[in-house]
């Protein structure tokens, strides 16, 4: 009987770490399943998976079916990071085609985790531009676009700070929506620009839960009904937090 | 009119870049995401000018993005979702979501029957548009993968050379 190079326990541990990382970086359920199965095949194991939004369960089976290893792991809170999704996609092919070892995989995962985010000022400026862009798309002029830019930058800054001190994620969205729409609402109160309501409505669009909602539809289409529903609800919760932020401002400014 | 569409498409691309940065995409994919976002916007706004309706227009835009995202995935060596998700986000119907929520809250304290029905109609209309646009975006992005019936783009017909390796 051929003995495997890697023992089941270390393979299982590394695979479930990859899966949890993918889930929290914004990959859909099918991608997680396919990636883990590919990596396990490369390492000479069979896999069975249970994927949920906040926990993963993995069983890997040796080809002779004598040994298996099971583990349950809770995924960390979700923060979209496509550099990690992209990097793990490369990694999984390297495991299959170039027979990477567990040590190499874990080294690569450490490298991927350490990839820095874009500088904060760049993020603030470009997301602000995105806010202005939304305002243009919905028919705002340049004055409204500037208002949307300022509101978006302020809102994103507040969200980053709230995340840093670890507020509840929905509360972070609420704070951000409140700040952004308050600034845009002041512009509406003082009648800056021809259609200040456009700036008000688009100032919070940088918060739209695009990744949960689109992944939700993809999951539902691919038959991962439970995960699709969970993602849809979590997207709706974010949308609801945005709405509450908007209405608080409308009540305060009274229009 | 055409100029207006092109300007809006340009800003769609900018919005896509903003979200791409927020999602921390690899740097090599940024230009492709801008192009895809602008192209999706161009298709959507052109279709809307031709009275296609917002739901089907968004679907067309998202489908084209989905197909090109697969090509880009080969060229820039990243999974298709890295390109497709930031590119379709400018089409997410945030304004309708806002109007629906606004309507729902307005309905909670309204007594006059006529204005109530008027608000109800508008709210349901915005809500339905929002929901169907979202579904069409998700489906449009997924369609290329559904049509090729492969689990990974690396195995799809676009990449037969590499298939020989496995």
């Amino acid at each position: 009987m051929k003995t495997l190079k890697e023992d089941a326990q270390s393979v299982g541990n590394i695979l479930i770490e990859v899966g949890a990382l993918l889930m929290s970086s914004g990959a859909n359920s099918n991608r997680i399943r396919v990636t883990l199965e590919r990596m396990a095949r490369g390492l000479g194991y069979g896999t069975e998976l249970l994927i949920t939004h906040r926990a993963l369960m993995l069983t890997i089976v040796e080809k002779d079916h004598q040994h298996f290893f099971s583990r349950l792991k809770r995924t960390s809170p979700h923060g979209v990071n496509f550099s990690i999704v992209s990097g793990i996609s490369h990694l999984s092919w390297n495991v299959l085609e170039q027979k990477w070892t567990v040590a190499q995989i874990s080294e690569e995962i450490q490298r991927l985790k350490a990839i820095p985010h874009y500088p904060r000022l760049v993020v603030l400026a470009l997301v602000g531009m995105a806010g202005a862009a939304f305002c243009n798309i919905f028919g705002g002029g340049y004055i409204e676009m500037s208002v949307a830019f300022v509101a978006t930058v302020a809102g994103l800054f507040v969200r980053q700070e709230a995340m840093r001190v670890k507020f509840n994620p929905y509360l972070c969205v609420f704070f951000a929506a409140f700040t952004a729409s308050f600034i845009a609402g002041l512009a509406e109160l003082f009648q800056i620009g021809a259609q200040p309501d456009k700036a008000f409505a688009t100032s919070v669009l940088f918060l739209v839960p695009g990744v949960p909602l689109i992944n939700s539809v993809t999951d539902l289409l691919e038959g991962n009904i439970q995960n699709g529903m969970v993602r849809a609800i979590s997207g709706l919760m974010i949308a609801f937090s945005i709405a509450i932020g908007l209405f608080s401002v409308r009540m305060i400014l009274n229009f | 009119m055409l100029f207006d569409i092109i300007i809006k498409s340009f800003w769609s691309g900018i919005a896509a870049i903003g979200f791409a940065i927020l999602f921390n995409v690899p740097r090599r994919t940024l230009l492709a995401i801008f192009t895809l976002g602008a192209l999706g916007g161009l298709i959507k706004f052109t279709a809307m000018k031709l009275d296609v309706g917002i739901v089907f227009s968004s679907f067309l835009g998202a489908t084209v993005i989905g197909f090109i995202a697969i090509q880009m995935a080969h060229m820039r060596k990243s999974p298709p979702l890295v390109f497709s998700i930031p590119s379709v986000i400018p089409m997410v119907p945030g304004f309708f979501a806002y109007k629906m929520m606004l309507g729902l809250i307005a309905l909670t304290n309204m007594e006059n029957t006529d204005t109530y029905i008027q608000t109800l109609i508008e709210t349901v209309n915005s809500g339905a548009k929002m929901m169907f646009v979202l579904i069409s975006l998700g489906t449009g992005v997924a369609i290329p993968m559904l049509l090729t019936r492969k689990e990974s783009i690396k195995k799809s017909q676009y990449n037969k050379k590499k298939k020989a390796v496995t």
Side-chain angles (χ1 to χ4, degrees):
Chain A
M1 193 191 76
K2 192 189 99 183
T3 49
L4 287 159
K5 233 180 356 179
E6 314 278 355
D7 65 301
Q9 185 167 349
S10 59
V11 169
N13 281 333
I14 200 84
L15 285 189
I16 204 159
E17 193 183 339
V18 169
L21 202 56
L22 273 180
M23 181 47 110
S24 52
S25 306
N28 57 23
S29 306
N30 207 43
R31 167 165 292 276
I32 299 174
R33 185 181 304 278
V34 169
T35 305
L36 292 191
E37 280 172 358
R38 184 187 301 149
M39 287 175 74
R41 202 162 66 237
L43 292 160
Y45 286 87
T47 45
E48 293 298 334
L49 261 173
L50 173 66
I51 304 169
T52 70
H53 198 61
R54 290 303 298 276
L56 278 179
M57 197 159 132
L58 169 87
T59 298
I60 60 168
V61 190
E62 274 183 19
K63 287 218 172 114
D64 61 3
H65 291 290
Q66 291 198 345
H67 297 94
F68 71 95
F69 174 79
S70 273
R71 209 185 140 194
L72 182 65
K73 184 176 167 68
R74 195 170 155 79
T75 59
S76 51
H78 291 208
V80 180
N81 188 339
F82 282 166
S83 282
I84 288 185
V85 176
S86 177
I88 288 180
S89 165
H90 285 271
L91 169 68
S92 69
W93 284 105
N94 282 335
V95 172
L96 186 65
E97 289 171 352
Q98 295 170 15
K99 302 292 169 210
W100 275 25
T101 59
V102 169
Q104 275 172 304
I105 298 171
S106 104
E107 207 172 284
E108 175 70 5
I109 288 174
Q110 292 311 320
R111 189 188 72 82
L112 288 175
K113 278 185 182 168
I115 290 179
H117 278 252
Y118 287 93
R120 193 170 180 186
L121 275 178
V122 173
V123 175
L124 284 171
L126 279 164
V127 176
M129 286 303 284
F134 275 123
C135 192
N136 182 291
I137 292 170
F138 287 103
Y142 288 103
I143 301 174
E144 289 89 343
M145 284 166 72
S146 329
V147 172
F149 177 86
V150 175
T152 302
V153 169
L156 183 64
F157 180 79
V158 167
R159 186 187 187 185
Q160 288 173 338
E161 287 301 307
M163 299 275 257
R164 200 170 54 81
V165 292
K166 293 195 169 57
F167 270 108
N168 174 297
Y170 302 114
L171 211 52
C172 295
V173 172
F174 167 76
F175 290 148
F178 184 88
T179 316
S181 56
F182 191 79
I183 291 174
L186 283 181
E188 186 165 350
L189 200 67
F190 296 119
Q191 289 299 318
I192 300 171
Q195 299 161 298
D197 59 318
K198 302 272 186 193
F200 187 75
T202 51
S203 63
V204 293
L205 287 190
F206 71 100
L207 293 165
V208 288
V211 172
L213 289 180
I214 291 171
N215 273 339
S216 153
V217 178
T218 331
D219 272 5
L220 289 173
L221 272 176
E222 283 162 347
N224 300 308
I225 306 286
Q226 265 189 338
N227 281 347
M229 299 297 272
V230 171
R231 288 189 208 262
I233 300 285
S234 100
L236 280 181
M237 287 281 288
I238 295 177
F240 193 61
S241 316
I242 300 173
I244 297 192
L246 282 174
F247 287 114
S248 317
V249 170
R250 287 179 72 94
M251 297 244 278
I252 292 171
L253 295 181
N254 202 12
F255 56 82
Chain B
M1 203 126 93
L2 186 70
F3 184 69
D4 188 45
I5 291 179
I6 291 174
I7 293 286
K8 276 190 177 178
S9 311
F10 170 77
W11 284 106
S12 297
I14 298 284
I17 288 284
F19 274 92
I21 296 280
L22 199 59
F23 298 154
N24 202 30
V25 300
R27 200 160 295 185
R28 62 180 182 276
T29 62
L30 281 175
L31 187 65
I33 290 172
F34 173 79
T35 318
L36 274 181
L39 184 70
L42 191 67
I43 290 165
K44 181 192 156 183
F45 294 126
T46 312
M48 280 178 75
K49 271 282 186 298
L50 301 173
D51 282 332
V52 176
I54 187 168
V55 176
F56 199 64
S57 305
S58 309
F59 179 72
L60 284 178
T63 310
V64 172
I65 287 178
F67 273 109
I68 301 182
I70 289 191
Q71 299 287 0
M72 293 285 188
H74 287 302
M75 286 160 60
R76 294 278 181 274
K77 306 282 174 247
S78 276
L81 94 160
V82 172
F83 300 94
S84 53
I85 290 187
S87 311
V88 299
I89 280 187
M91 295 195 231
V92 167
F95 196 69
F96 291 117
Y98 165 73
K99 275 174 72 177
M100 183 196 71
M101 290 287 187
L102 207 73
L104 282 179
I105 302 281
L107 288 177
T108 55
N109 50 4
M110 198 177 270
E111 262 130 51
N112 185 325
T113 321
D114 286 342
T115 52
Y116 191 93
I117 290 182
Q118 188 58 38
T119 315
L120 187 67
I121 292 171
E122 282 166 11
T123 308
V124 171
N125 185 278
S126 306
K129 271 183 187 158
M130 180 203 72
M131 213 175 80
F132 280 101
V133 171
L134 270 181
I135 294 175
S136 66
L137 290 183
T139 320
V141 166
I143 270 190
M145 296 306 270
L146 297 176
L147 288 182
T148 51
R149 285 163 294 141
K150 293 294 188 307
E151 285 189 330
S152 160
I153 55 154
K154 252 199 156 177
K155 291 181 189 162
S156 67
Q157 52 170 331
Y158 300 118
N159 209 359
K160 276 187 175 148
K161 268 183 290 176
K162 286 216 168 141
K163 201 180 169 188
V165 179
T166 39

